[in-house]
């Protein structure tokens, strides 16, 4: 019996380790959406997924974005058309958009933007907002650290 419990414990530990690694690789990194070398944070705009993770970036200026990409994107300043898709489960109901919905972004250097969903009774709309000023609030320090960590991890992996 002890041997069976020990085997079960090892299998459970391996399963949990795999789940954590999968979550970290799926959500804990950033992606640079411009060519060439990395630019200083003050010279780029940062786009983050809302922490609820109900809406996903599907296309940017018509270019498809792989869904497994991170929740932090580096952009050059400029005009962007973001196409967002809604996908989440609440209770026994799955909410999934048939098509992506567009929202415009005028990205400024040194600014951080968040994309999110605006839910109605039967329809939803995409939203994007500048959260640069909010990130200065001490209550936002965990999100600030998360964003900076993702950017640093992506850049250090690129330099290896």
């Amino acid at each position: 019996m002890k041997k069976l419990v020990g085997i079960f414990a090892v299998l459970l530990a391996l399963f949990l380790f795999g789940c954590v690694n999968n979550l970290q690789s799926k959500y804990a990194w950033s992606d640079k959406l411009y060519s060439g070398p990395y630019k200083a944070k003050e010279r780029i705009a940062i786009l983050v997924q809302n922490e609820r993770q109900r809406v996903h970036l599907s296309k940017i200026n018509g270019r498809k974005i792989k869904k497994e990409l991170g929740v932090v994107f580096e952009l050059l300043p400029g005009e962007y058309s973001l196409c967002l898709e809604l996908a989440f489960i609440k209770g026994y109901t799955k909410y999934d958009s048939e098509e992506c919905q567009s929202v415009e972004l005028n990205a400024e250097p040194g600014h951080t933007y968040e994309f999110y969903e605006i839910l109605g009774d039967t329809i939803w709309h995409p939203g994007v907002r500048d959260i640069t000023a909010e990130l200065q609030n001490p209550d936002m320090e965990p999100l600030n650290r998360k964003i900076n960590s993702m950017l640093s991890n992506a850049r250090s992996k690129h330099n290896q």
Side-chain angles (χ1 to χ4, degrees), residues 31-35 57 60 63 65 69 73-76:
D31 190 42
K32 175 173 71 95
L33 298 180
Y34 57 88
S35 58
L57 183 61
I60 188 161
R63 181 181 140 219
I65 302 295
L69 291 182
F73 300 93
E74 294 185 41
L75 305 169
L76 293 176

Side-chain angles (χ1 to χ4, degrees), residues 107-118:
E108 296 181 32
H111 285 247
T112 302
Y113 301 90
E114 171 189 64
F115 59 91
Y116 61 97
E117 75 286 348
I118 303 166

Side-chain angles (χ1 to χ4, degrees), residues 34-95:
Y34 57 88
S35 58
Y38 281 95
K39 300 190 181 312
K41 191 175 169 184
E42 301 77 35
R43 296 184 60 208
I44 61 168
I46 297 170
L47 180 64
V48 300
Q49 181 182 33
N50 180 279
E51 289 194 303
R52 290 187 302 271
Q53 299 181 352
R54 293 178 173 174
V55 66
H56 307 277
L57 183 61
S58 175
K59 295 178 187 174
I60 188 161
N61 291 345
R63 181 181 140 219
K64 285 190 176 205
I65 302 295
K66 293 181 184 178
K67 285 191 180 181
E68 64 267 18
L69 291 182
V71 294
V72 175
F73 300 93
E74 294 185 41
L75 305 169
L76 293 176
E79 298 282 330
Y80 292 94
S81 176
L82 309 176
C83 207
L84 304 174
E85 291 182 1
L86 184 72
F88 72 98
I89 298 173
K90 184 177 181 181
Y92 295 107
T93 306
K94 180 179 180 185
Y95 297 87

Side-chain angles (χ1 to χ4, degrees), residues 15 19 29 64-65 73 103 110 153 155:
F15 172 76
C19 288
W29 64 292
K64 285 190 176 205
I65 302 295
F73 300 93
V103 64
N153 288 342
R155 289 167 183 238

